[in-house]
Amino acid sequence: MIPSFRKLLSEPRSLRTRLSLNIALVVLLTVAVISVVSNVFINRQFERYIIERQKQQTESILSLVNQQYNAASKTWNAEYLHAVGMHALYDGYIVKIYGTGNEMLWDAELCDMSACRQMMRDISRKMQARFPNDQGAFTVNHYDLTQNGQAIATVSIRCFSPYFYSDDDFLFLDSLNLILAGSGLFSLLLAVAVGWLLARRLSNPIRITAERAKRMSTGDYAVRINEKNRISELDELTRSVNQLADSLGKQEALRKRLTADVAHELRTPLTNVATHIEAMIEGVWEPTPARLSSCHEEIGRISKLVSDLENLARMDSDNLKLDKTRVDLLELSQKTLSNFETEIAAKKLTASIDGNRLEVWADSSRIRQVLTNILSNAVKYTRPGGTIRVTLSEARDFALLAVEDDGIGIPPDELPFIFERFYRAEKSRNRLSGGSGIGLAVVKSIVTAHGGTVEAESRVNQGSRFQIVLPKTT
Ligand code: ADP
């Protein structure tokens, strides 16, 4: 019995069954404990009450007998004595009254022997039936009656000791037990019903979430949980699963685009190089320095893409180890900008740096990579004759570095995605510009690893502003 019950509780079951079972079990235990405790308590109190009541009944019998004595005439009212004795007999007391000379004044057994026997049998049987372990029995007690200090009689009272219950008492106890059992059963049924409803309310959204999550795991990222929930934790869970589906969907779209982009990026220069070399081998083309350098350029594009991919893979290898030293952002910006001198001159751009020495505790080569990526974008996406401005400032424990340009800008619907890897705004435009959509993802990885943030603001045809916030220490 017990192992199978344990098995019932330990086997994996639905939340609804488990909750209902647990609630029913808790309520069952509570009802059982309350019933036992209240039963013991009520019985004990009732026992005390009965003993007290029997004491009062004995006193009342003695007082009534006493009242039947006439001290002046020294006589007894025999008729009333009989009434008192018979009344006591119906209450379960066998009374015998003796005068001062030990003469019999009234005897219940003499009066009605069969009624006395019947009463004793009834009480013994009922008490035995109810309390089989209690050793109750009929016992006799003697009381001396006096009036004005003068002995007038001796009364012997025989009753079931230490106490006995009348039919009314039994009825009262039975009704009480019935009410207790009834209310216990009612609370148990109510608890099971409430538990079942509660369990249903809890398990339904979880079941729906699990089913949608399963569909997501098969690649259906369009699926969403639209059912509203009034339990905040479950509502949070469904919202998180929806967000997860959003981000998985975006990642999937990006992955597909990456595959297409990488394939395209590689195919174009590879086809060019292949046709050029083929033509030269077949003698259709002379291998002139111009043609060879065109092949070289195409190979350069492939190398750039491969090195970008490599760069990102290194960032991803979770252990982006930073070799931190004291770095002056002003000096670093000047050095990095000077690397773009040729491009800047070719596009006739105006580039400037505003700000003073600004030291941060950072990995110099990584921060240089950040600046290179942002500045190369600024140079790439600014039209000839445009302006690029680097600004350095500080606020409390942070260093602020902003790179602004008045270039082509980024459409608002594309702006939230530019830090995602392989994301390129208006793809066709960028293919011409030679971008691969990796630069800003690398920027974000490095800045985040330093405990900083990077944000972009932009307006189409007006320009863009990239702001990096880096903690000065740690
Ligand atoms: P890419 O190698 O294509 O430049 P990035 O990750 O560096 O990749 O940038 C992502 C996209 O953000 C770019 O394709 C470009 O569309 C946009 N972008 C980044 N910087 C600028 C900028 N200064 N002006 C306009 N567009 C920009």
Side-chain angles (χ1 to χ4, degrees):
M1 173 72 191
I2 289 175
S4 65
F5 184 64
R6 221 182 256 163
K7 204 171 153 212
L8 187 80
L9 283 183
S10 63
E11 262 178 14
R13 285 179 185 280
S14 74
L15 179 70
R16 197 183 299 183
T17 318
R18 187 157 282 278
L19 254 178
S20 307
L21 262 177
N22 281 332
I23 291 176
L25 193 71
V26 169
V27 173
L28 195 72
L29 283 175
T30 315
V31 167
V33 168
I34 290 176
S35 301
V36 169
V37 169
S38 55
N39 219 294
V40 167
F41 180 75
I42 289 171
N43 278 335
R44 203 166 282 168
Q45 285 299 104
F46 196 64
E47 211 176 278
R48 262 188 226 149
Y49 158 76
I50 292 290
I51 291 172
E52 188 55 34
R53 197 188 63 187
Q54 275 169 214
K55 227 162 89 188
Q56 282 170 7
Q57 273 177 330
T58 310
E59 278 164 16
S60 155
I61 292 167
L62 294 174
S63 151
L64 283 169
V65 170
N66 203 333
Q67 283 166 24
Q68 309 318 317
Y69 183 67
N70 188 330
S73 61
K74 296 194 175 168
T75 55
W76 290 88
N77 185 338
E79 206 178 312
Y80 275 71
L81 267 190
H82 176 74
V84 171
M86 286 312 282
H87 199 269
L89 180 61
Y90 296 135
D91 283 346
Y93 301 88
I94 295 170
V95 178
K96 289 181 182 182
I97 310 165
Y98 301 94
T100 41
N102 216 17
E103 74 280 13
M104 173 69 64
L105 293 175
W106 194 82
D107 185 337
E109 283 178 336
L110 279 180
C111 237
D112 193 341
M113 182 58 123
S114 68
C116 287
R117 291 233 170 106
Q118 180 67 35
M119 182 274 283
M120 283 170 75
R121 257 200 315 270
D122 275 2
I123 289 182
S124 298
R125 187 173 45 80
K126 284 179 187 164
M127 288 303 283
Q128 272 295 311
R130 179 65 68 116
F131 307 105
N133 296 328
D134 281 6
Q135 301 294 319
F138 274 89
T139 54
V140 182
N141 284 307
H142 299 278
Y143 306 91
D144 290 329
L145 293 187
T146 56
Q147 255 186 33
N148 305 324
Q150 287 264 306
I152 57 165
T154 302
V155 178
S156 91
I157 299 178
R158 177 186 287 199
C159 65
F160 196 87
S161 295
Y163 60 87
F164 65 94
Y165 290 155
S166 68
D167 286 348
D168 284 346
D169 297 336
F170 278 124
L171 201 69
F172 170 76
L173 278 181
D174 288 346
S175 323
L176 200 74
N177 283 338
L178 201 70
I179 290 171
L180 273 179
S183 49
L185 192 71
F186 177 73
S187 359
L188 186 68
L189 290 177
L190 192 74
V192 169
V194 170
W196 191 82
L197 283 177
L198 183 76
R200 202 172 68 151
R201 186 176 278 191
L202 276 176
S203 71
N204 268 356
I206 294 178
R207 201 175 37 74
I208 292 172
T209 310
E211 178 258 322
R212 305 283 154 86
K214 207 182 255 174
R215 275 170 62 188
M216 281 172 207
S217 74
T218 60
D220 182 1
Y221 302 128
V223 68
R224 292 289 178 279
I225 305 164
N226 299 317
E227 288 81 354
K228 283 272 152 254
N229 201 297
R230 275 190 288 162
I231 299 167
S232 61
E233 286 86 349
L234 291 179
D235 198 43
E236 181 73 36
L237 175 72
T238 53
R239 246 182 295 137
S240 308
V241 171
N242 282 344
Q243 277 167 7
L244 182 69
D246 273 348
S247 96
L248 282 174
K250 269 188 214 148
Q251 292 299 324
E252 179 65 3
L254 275 174
R255 191 187 61 77
K256 282 185 184 154
R257 210 164 85 180
L258 159 72
T259 321
D261 284 359
V262 169
H264 187 275
E265 295 296 332
L266 286 174
R267 198 183 322 112
T268 317
L270 276 175
T271 317
N272 286 347
V273 173
T275 37
H276 280 40
I277 291 179
E278 218 174 83
M280 284 185 241
I281 291 171
E282 286 172 5
V284 183
W285 273 5
E286 281 289 304
T288 61
R291 282 173 183 149
L292 285 174
S293 99
S294 156
C295 287
H296 186 252
E297 250 171 49
E298 295 291 10
I299 290 171
R301 280 180 66 187
I302 301 171
S303 303
K304 163 96 171 47
L305 181 67
V306 170
S307 90
D308 277 350
L309 285 169
E310 237 173 25
N311 232 336
L312 202 66
R314 217 175 305 130
M315 299 287 158
D316 271 349
S317 62
D318 226 0
N319 45 1
L320 178 56
K321 287 209 182 71
L322 300 175
D323 184 11
K324 288 188 180 177
T325 51
R326 205 156 278 289
V327 179
D328 176 19
L329 289 180
L330 178 66
E331 194 188 321
L332 203 69
S333 307
Q334 284 163 343
K335 273 193 199 155
T336 317
L337 194 62
S338 67
N339 287 344
F340 292 95
E341 256 170 20
T342 341
E343 288 99 318
I344 289 172
K347 283 181 96 173
K348 297 198 173 58
L349 302 172
T350 315
S352 63
I353 300 177
D354 295 345
N356 304 316
R357 247 180 99 80
L358 181 53
E359 282 193 341
V360 290
W361 187 247
D363 185 325
S364 163
S365 66
R366 305 272 189 193
I367 299 295
R368 189 164 183 161
Q369 168 99 60
V370 167
L371 273 166
T372 306
N373 290 6
I374 292 186
L375 282 172
S376 87
N377 280 345
V379 172
K380 214 180 335 180
Y381 301 114
T382 304
R383 296 182 201 89
T387 313
I388 297 172
R389 213 169 72 202
V390 179
T391 320
L392 299 168
S393 56
E394 56 190 310
R396 275 206 242 163
D397 302 332
F398 293 94
L400 278 67
L401 190 154
V403 178
E404 254 175 293
D405 64 59
D406 56 1
I408 60 171
I410 306 161
D413 56 329
E414 312 240 21
L415 197 57
F417 307 111
I418 55 167
F419 291 102
E420 289 185 12
R421 55 194 55 182
F422 305 110
Y423 192 88
R424 301 185 308 165
E426 290 178 35
K427 281 191 291 172
S428 50
R429 175 189 78 185
N430 285 296
R431 193 160 291 131
L432 297 176
S433 68
S436 58
I438 294 173
L440 288 181
V442 170
V443 165
K444 184 148 191 188
S445 297
I446 296 176
V447 172
T448 311
H450 277 83
T453 56
V454 54
E455 280 167 17
E457 291 165 28
S458 188
R459 280 185 178 204
V460 176
N461 291 329
Q462 289 188 25
S464 312
R465 181 175 195 271
F466 287 82
Q467 173 164 291
I468 294 165
V469 179
L470 285 173
K472 283 202 230 166
T473 49
T474 68

